[in-house]
Amino acid sequence: QKEVEQNSGPLSVPEGAIASLNCTYSDRGSQSFFWYRQYSGKSPELIMFIYSNGDKEDGRFTAQLNKASQYVSLLIRDSQPSDSATYLCAVNSSGGSYIPTFGRGTSLIVHP
Amino acid sequence: GAVVSQHPSRVICKSGTSVKIECRSLDFQATTMFWYRQFPKQSLMLMATSNEGSKATYEQGVEKDKFLINHASLTLSTLTVTSAHPEDSSFYICSAGGWNEQYFGPGTRLTVT
């Protein structure tokens, strides 16, 4: 059973701070890693993907991947109240399958 | 990113009737589409994988005769909830794949009365 684990939260950070969201996965052969943002009552929106070890930056978002530790994280710099949402980690495993495994999501609250 | 649409966005139907939900990839061809269901404050649950021109692959516990999926073209997949019951009320979301990443439709909120 391939598993993707996230702390459900809520993670509460003040406006302007760095929010750090974490995700671990069980399949060591996983190839691709994704972060989705889901506002309440809406469908998920892809915000970042990462395939290689290290950091990948896009605006205020940085995805970090450590395959040896089976760990992927998302950092949000200068957090804004509009970043308040649930963040879903998704992992595509090995074997050419394009069926992603989703974590249960971490709820982020950015308070003014 | 790629655009995926769903129709209708909201539907209310009576118990025992059937409801069809359409999912379209607007600016790319999707050989594979996915159907998810999400209950309030719960995580996404994959229902089935829809492949163009072939039968859908259903996840364990999902009744294939109740949730009919048709993927007739590279840009359209449909989910029909047959003989709907109040417990089928949920948020149904489709997604379509690029090479690797998935793009979600806006979802359909189904209420069965």
Side-chain angles (χ1 to χ4, degrees), chain A residues 9 15 18 28 34 39 47 82 109:
Chain A
E15 184 174 357
I18 296 175
R28 187 168 286 279
F34 307 88
Y39 291 113
I47 54 173
S82 58
I109 298 172

Side-chain angles (χ1 to χ4, degrees), chain B residues 66-106:
Chain B
K66 180 171 181 61
F67 298 100
L68 302 179
I69 292 173
N70 182 275
H71 194 155
S73 76
L74 289 172
T75 58
L76 173 64
S77 176
T78 61
L79 167 67
T80 301
V81 182
T82 63
S83 186
H85 289 114
E87 56 264 32
D88 297 325
S89 298
S90 188
F91 191 40
Y92 291 85
I93 313 171
C94 72
S95 73
W99 171 72
N100 210 345
E101 58 269 25
Q102 295 296 312
Y103 297 94
F104 285 87

Side-chain angles (χ1 to χ4, degrees), chain A residues 48-62:
Chain A
M48 288 284 290
F49 56 87
I50 185 168
Y51 304 141
S52 304
N53 272 331
D55 294 1
K56 179 181 179 183
E57 186 174 318
D58 183 0
R60 295 186 296 113
F61 299 99
T62 299

Side-chain angles (χ1 to χ4, degrees), chain A residues 38 88 102-105, chain B residues 36-46:
Chain A
Q38 186 175 24
L88 303 171
F102 280 86
R104 297 177 67 85
Chain B
Y36 295 85
R37 181 167 55 180
Q38 188 175 38
F39 293 106
K41 299 195 183 299
Q42 294 192 20
S43 59
L44 288 172
M45 188 195 85
L46 179 64

Side-chain angles (χ1 to χ4, degrees), chain A residues 27-106:
Chain A
D27 183 359
R28 187 168 286 279
S30 296
Q31 303 283 333
S32 313
F33 308 85
F34 307 88
W35 283 100
Y36 291 84
R37 176 176 62 199
Q38 186 175 24
Y39 291 113
S40 180
K42 302 293 185 183
S43 66
E45 172 192 10
L46 178 66
I47 54 173
M48 288 284 290
F49 56 87
I50 185 168
Y51 304 141
S52 304
N53 272 331
D55 294 1
K56 179 181 179 183
E57 186 174 318
D58 183 0
R60 295 186 296 113
F61 299 99
T62 299
Q64 299 176 317
L65 175 61
N66 184 326
K67 289 186 177 181
S69 300
Q70 295 176 238
Y71 175 97
V72 57
S73 65
L74 179 70
L75 302 179
I76 307 175
R77 289 182 299 281
D78 188 24
S79 296
Q80 301 297 310
S82 58
D83 294 325
S84 299
T86 297
Y87 289 80
L88 303 171
C89 172
V91 176
N92 275 12
S93 295
S94 54
S97 168
Y98 296 139
I99 301 176
T101 301
F102 280 86
R104 297 177 67 85
T106 298

